[in-house]
Amino acid sequence: MTRSPDFRALTRRQLLTRASAVGASFVAGAGFIAAPDAAWAAETSHLEPSTFATLVQMARDIYPHDRIPDAYYVIAVKGYDSVEAAGRVEAGIAALNEAARGRGHGHYLDIGWERDRVDLLRSIEGSAFFQTVRSGLVTGLYNQKAVWPLFGYEGESFSHGGYIDRGFDDITWL
Amino acid sequence: MSAPFDLSDDSVVVIVGTGAGGGVLANELAQKGVSVVALEAGGRYLPEDYINDEWESFGQLAWTDARTTSGDWRVARDFPGLPTWIVKAVGGSTVHWAGASLRFQDHEWKAATTYGEVPGANLLDWPIDGAEMAPWYDLAEKKLGVTRTNGWPGLPGNNNFKVLEKGAKALGYTEVSTGRMAIMSHETGDRTMCQQTGFCFQGCKWGAKWSSAYTDIEQGEATGKLEVRTKCHAARILHDDSGKVTGVEYFDETGALQMQAARVVCVAGNSIESPRLLLNSASTMFPDGLANSSGQVGRNYMRHTTGSVYAVFEQPVHMYRGTTMAGIVQDEARHDPARGFVGGYELETLSIGLPFMAAFLDPGGWGREFTSALDGYANMAGLWIVGEDMPQEANRITLSPDVKDQFGLPAPNVHFDDHPNDIAMRNHAYAQGAAIYDAVGAVRTFPTPAYPSTHNLGTNRMSERPEDGVVNRHGQTHDIANLFVSDGSQFTTGAAENPTLTIVALAIRQAEYIRGAMARGEI
Ligand SMILES: Cc1cc2nc3c(=O)[nH]c(=O)nc-3n(C[C@H](O)[C@H](O)[C@H](O)COP(=O)(O)OP(=O)(O)OC[C@H]3O[C@@H](n4cnc5c(N)ncnc54)[C@H](O)[C@@H]3O)c2cc1C
Ligand code: SF4
């Protein structure tokens, strides 16, 4: 990796130009970006559609954000709709439905109140299935660039020249 | 890149690691005309390569080789395979660091004397003191371009700082400022001024923050006296029958085992890898590892007493805009046992982006208590606690009996138990941090647990007497004259301050000593 020796003499503008040239390569490399499309939920290739729908509800119950549409939860767990994962997920969701029946419900999805679904999830919190789904969501959900604006997080600012002229010290309510 | 030094050239100084300690030492020696081969396990990434995206950057830079953990610290539960958050790359953790550059307070060089007997703590005075270090600190501050030194202005405060400042002053704190930072606060024509982009932890794309990656290393290479070999992982230090070290075995980029001969070897792989390398170099002559006659190699592992306090307000803060560590409250850094603990702590603003907040706010947490906190992300402010933790003999790096790294070398196990003093200090700091934010109308505050360790210290500690530690006042091992330790593992005690300025000052001082000792024919 080489670099012109006068690098440090470059102006801010020149640095920015270089950055946008470099930028393209890593934006394209980011993993989770896909067009949010709720129709995905129905189109499973390896999981039963009902299993996948239950998984999406479970994801929302673990990390509930009312301002975030289902589509992002769908993207977050879409990876489980694969040959390798399908068996474990079918078993995990079957166990979840079994636990729901144990509490007098038909299926997990039949439980009307989030509070009751969360109670059920608490009872299986220690299971490998729950922990896999939960920890996968930490990146699967929150590392989707498309959800960042919904939290007011602006992501990288280098390509815009930083926040030096864009509100790094704009607080007024203090 | 040119390769000026032959593997069999035994006139060179071999330095393992190119971070704060190794990178500075390499340049300082090269400037003095000493031939240096620096072995760096990671690759070379420069400002145009850095990625302003937390997880992608982590994938690019983080040290993720196999490690194990034990002990009662929460990191062992939350991140059992990732005890530290440090860098594998040219520049080491100075690519990640935030730039806070503080000198030790005078009494902190003499913790054993100042604090007296603390049960369970293996306290020791440093063999050096503030007066002796002052001129080296001067040089370090000049090198790093530290704000509020040498007449340079402080950085402007961002929103996160303004919240901290207002709350701290409301509580009666007076030592509140945008701190001393190794970040350019003005244009010099040499380094770009801080553009307040945030992402200081992911590598500064403006080169405004000091990192040895694009300052000292390049300056050293420009002398023609420094060769940096990237993706070269030091595996073992060799010695002769007289007990002098003779070279370093390493795995090169292709995985092939090489041996670089050496006149002097300096270990600067950060406080987990440095003792691991000494332990992995055990031989029939040194069955407990190199330079370990005291039995202290790997012991007294310190990581600073840390934790964060985040707070949500009714209105926006946008804490992530601008410098990550944008300001500091220093009133609690004093030693005042009336608070229920010895030593002190600093409170420094900190912000992490949404992806890391989700991972670190309450690892393992879920449900609405957790998600409603994240819903307040735009209205959040945050600070980080950095306080002196107690050295304890049993907090140590050992070689795992069963886990091996990608080269087949025994992985390090990192054992850490909190000392009661650490817990008392952390609880005090959590309360003060929350009070600061409550004073400006926080709706909720979150006492957030420690992240994987960013400050790793003390595992080859400096001591006056050979039986108390691993290295002498120059970082030279007590046992082997031509073997040095040049990174944060030399620390006898950790002090309340972020460690890097002191690591750099020690490296500059050590370079002067090594050059002199070589000229005198002592090594
Ligand atoms: C997120 C973050 C923020 C921080 N903020 C601050 C701050 O504001 N102020 C402050 O003072 N400090 C800060 N620090 C801490 C600071 O980065 C470290 O204290 C400092 O860099 C440690 O210097 P070192 O020389 O001991 O190790 P490092 O800088 O980590 O360098 C060690 C080098 O050795 C290499 N290496 C290791 N083993 C081998 C081997 N076997 N063979 C070859 N190479 C090897 C590594 O790849 C690495 O490049 C921060 C750290 C992090 C991670
Ligand atoms: S905020 Fe300043 S120091 Fe930090 S990365 Fe951006 S330009 Fe560099």
Side-chain angles (χ1 to χ4, degrees):
Chain A
M1 223 160 298
T2 55
R3 191 159 54 108
S4 62
D6 60 347
F7 172 78
R8 267 173 246 102
L10 289 181
T11 64
R12 191 166 165 249
R13 180 171 303 280
Q14 286 170 307
L15 274 166
L16 271 175
T17 321
R18 287 159 61 118
S20 39
V22 178
S25 65
F26 67 76
V27 170
F32 295 105
I33 305 166
D37 180 354
W40 280 37
E43 294 169 17
T44 55
S45 359
H46 304 281
L47 290 173
E48 292 299 324
S50 65
T51 302
F52 193 69
T54 310
L55 184 62
V56 171
Q57 183 63 53
M58 178 184 172
R60 187 180 266 295
D61 291 336
I62 293 174
Y63 289 122
H65 293 284
D66 298 340
R67 283 178 297 168
I68 298 196
D70 272 351
Y72 297 103
Y73 291 94
V74 168
I75 293 169
V77 296
K78 192 67 189 170
Y80 296 112
D81 182 26
S82 65
V83 185
E84 312 81 62
R88 275 178 297 130
V89 174
E90 291 289 357
I93 294 295
L96 190 64
N97 283 329
E98 189 55 43
R101 271 189 293 281
R103 296 182 178 207
H105 305 281
H107 291 95
Y108 183 75
L109 286 177
D110 296 334
I111 307 178
W113 285 97
E114 179 183 307
R115 180 189 56 221
D116 296 333
R117 292 192 303 273
V118 166
D119 270 353
L120 190 67
L121 291 176
R122 289 264 172 236
S123 74
I124 61 151
E125 191 177 14
S127 71
F129 176 65
F130 179 89
Q131 284 305 330
T132 303
V133 173
R134 188 204 58 74
S135 63
L137 282 168
V138 174
T139 47
L141 182 62
Y142 298 109
N143 205 32
Q144 290 182 50
K145 286 192 172 74
V147 309
W148 295 350
L150 303 176
F151 289 93
Y153 176 54
E154 295 166 278
E156 74 86 27
S157 73
F158 180 70
S159 63
H160 306 290
Y163 290 107
I164 193 162
D165 301 319
R166 298 190 316 121
F168 80 102
D169 62 350
D170 65 357
I171 199 163
T172 51
W173 55 263
L174 266 174
Chain B
M1 205 162 307
S2 61
F5 299 112
D6 204 79
L7 287 172
S8 60
D9 185 343
D10 60 5
S11 72
V12 302
V13 173
V14 173
I15 301 177
V16 177
T18 59
V24 168
L25 179 67
N27 180 29
E28 292 287 320
L29 286 174
Q31 298 294 336
K32 296 178 201 303
V34 176
S35 301
V36 178
V37 172
L39 302 176
E40 170 51 56
R44 191 187 292 246
Y45 307 96
L46 295 169
E48 57 265 42
D49 306 315
Y50 300 145
I51 305 169
N52 282 0
D53 176 295
E54 289 178 317
W55 284 119
E56 265 195 82
S57 172
F58 186 86
Q60 180 186 48
L61 298 171
W63 185 286
T64 52
D65 290 10
R67 285 176 173 169
T68 59
T69 47
S70 55
D72 70 11
W73 57 327
R74 191 165 160 184
V75 169
R77 170 155 52 98
D78 293 339
F79 307 100
L82 191 76
T84 67
W85 174 16
I86 52 179
V87 174
K88 181 196 268 199
V90 171
S93 305
T94 69
V95 180
H96 262 356
W97 81 314
S101 301
L102 304 171
R103 297 185 181 205
F104 278 23
Q105 304 166 73
D106 280 342
H107 69 263
E108 289 172 328
W109 297 101
K110 304 294 166 193
T113 303
T114 310
Y115 306 157
E117 177 69 20
V118 178
N122 193 21
L123 283 169
L124 187 70
D125 288 346
W126 287 67
I128 51 179
D129 61 21
E132 183 170 350
M133 286 305 292
W136 306 104
Y137 271 137
D138 288 344
L139 292 171
E141 286 166 350
K142 271 215 182 70
K143 177 191 284 286
L144 271 51
V146 177
T147 59
R148 292 198 166 83
T149 71
N150 294 286
W152 295 317
L155 287 162
N158 67 0
N159 293 335
N160 203 17
F161 170 69
K162 287 180 173 181
V163 175
L164 179 83
E165 181 187 36
K166 183 103 188 255
K169 288 191 169 160
L171 283 195
Y173 285 138
T174 57
E175 295 171 57
V176 188
S177 75
T178 55
R180 293 186 168 203
M181 304 297 295
I183 295 179
M184 296 313 287
S185 56
H186 58 294
E187 293 286 355
T188 58
D190 197 27
R191 267 160 63 194
T192 310
M193 192 179 102
C194 172
Q195 303 296 311
Q196 303 288 341
T197 52
F199 294 96
C200 302
F201 284 174
Q202 282 68 36
C204 178
K205 291 187 72 66
W206 303 98
K209 181 186 82 176
W210 177 84
S211 166
S212 60
Y214 42 82
T215 59
D216 281 77
I217 292 295
E218 289 191 355
Q219 292 156 14
E221 287 175 328
T223 66
K225 285 287 180 183
L226 167 63
E227 182 194 348
V228 177
R229 292 191 197 142
T230 57
K231 301 196 174 158
C232 288
H233 184 106
R236 193 158 69 114
I237 301 169
L238 306 175
H239 63 83
D240 62 18
D241 291 344
S242 75
K244 290 251 173 358
V245 296
T246 53
V248 179
E249 268 182 359
Y250 66 94
F251 291 96
D252 70 13
E253 191 169 358
T254 69
L257 192 62
Q258 307 284 1
M259 202 283 284
Q260 173 64 53
R263 176 169 171 184
V264 174
V265 174
C266 302
V267 179
N270 204 316
S271 297
I272 314 295
E273 293 306 311
S274 288
R276 175 185 180 221
L277 180 57
L278 297 179
L279 294 172
N280 267 335
S281 301
S283 63
T284 38
M285 188 168 178
F286 299 113
D288 300 324
L290 293 190
N292 198 17
S293 65
S294 64
Q296 296 291 312
V297 169
R299 292 188 183 272
N300 311 302
Y301 169 61
M302 296 175 287
R303 58 182 308 270
H304 274 138
T305 292
T306 79
S308 293
V309 179
Y310 291 98
V312 169
F313 296 86
E314 284 173 49
Q315 298 193 62
V317 177
H318 300 295
M319 66 173 173
Y320 55 84
R321 293 183 183 170
T323 47
T324 302
M325 208 160 261
I328 185 167
V329 177
Q330 301 201 266
D331 298 68
E332 300 286 1
R334 70 193 191 280
H335 169 58
D336 172 10
R339 290 173 300 181
F341 52 87
V342 300
Y345 62 86
E346 316 269 357
L347 299 172
E348 301 170 348
T349 74
L350 190 81
S351 70
I352 51 181
L354 182 79
F356 274 12
M357 190 61 80
F360 293 136
L361 179 68
D362 180 16
W366 60 280
R368 278 193 191 265
E369 184 186 12
F370 180 83
T371 56
S372 60
L374 291 184
D375 283 335
Y377 180 79
N379 297 7
M380 246 185 216
L383 62 80
W384 193 59
I385 300 157
V386 48
E388 178 162 11
D389 60 343
M390 292 293 107
Q392 300 182 72
E393 274 213 303
N395 286 351
R396 63 188 289 208
I397 312 309
T398 51
L399 299 177
S400 168
D402 37 53
V403 179
K404 302 231 186 319
D405 72 5
Q406 65 273 34
F407 303 109
L409 301 168
N413 182 67
V414 183
H415 180 93
F416 190 89
D417 294 319
D418 281 315
H419 187 278
N421 197 76
D422 306 345
I423 295 170
M425 179 186 288
R426 185 184 296 112
N427 288 339
H428 190 271
Y430 275 148
Q432 292 310 108
I436 285 173
Y437 291 131
D438 285 340
V440 273
V443 182
R444 277 166 82 187
T445 59
F446 308 95
T448 300
Y451 316 123
S453 311
T454 56
H455 297 179
N456 298 279
L457 303 167
T459 49
N460 291 306
R461 75 176 180 181
M462 189 183 282
S463 66
E464 191 66 59
R465 304 184 321 151
E467 51 271 41
D468 293 332
V470 180
V471 300
N472 68 15
R473 56 192 1 259
H474 299 292
Q476 182 176 32
T477 61
H478 287 299
D479 297 355
I480 302 176
N482 64 341
L483 176 61
F484 288 76
V485 174
S486 316
D487 60 8
S489 67
Q490 295 172 83
F491 278 37
T492 311
T493 52
E497 290 72 27
N498 315 55
T500 305
L501 184 75
T502 303
I503 295 173
V504 169
L506 288 170
I508 300 172
R509 179 170 169 276
Q510 187 180 71
E512 183 65 31
Y513 176 78
I514 290 177
R515 190 199 55 83
M518 286 173 78
R520 292 189 298 274
E522 294 166 13
I523 53 176

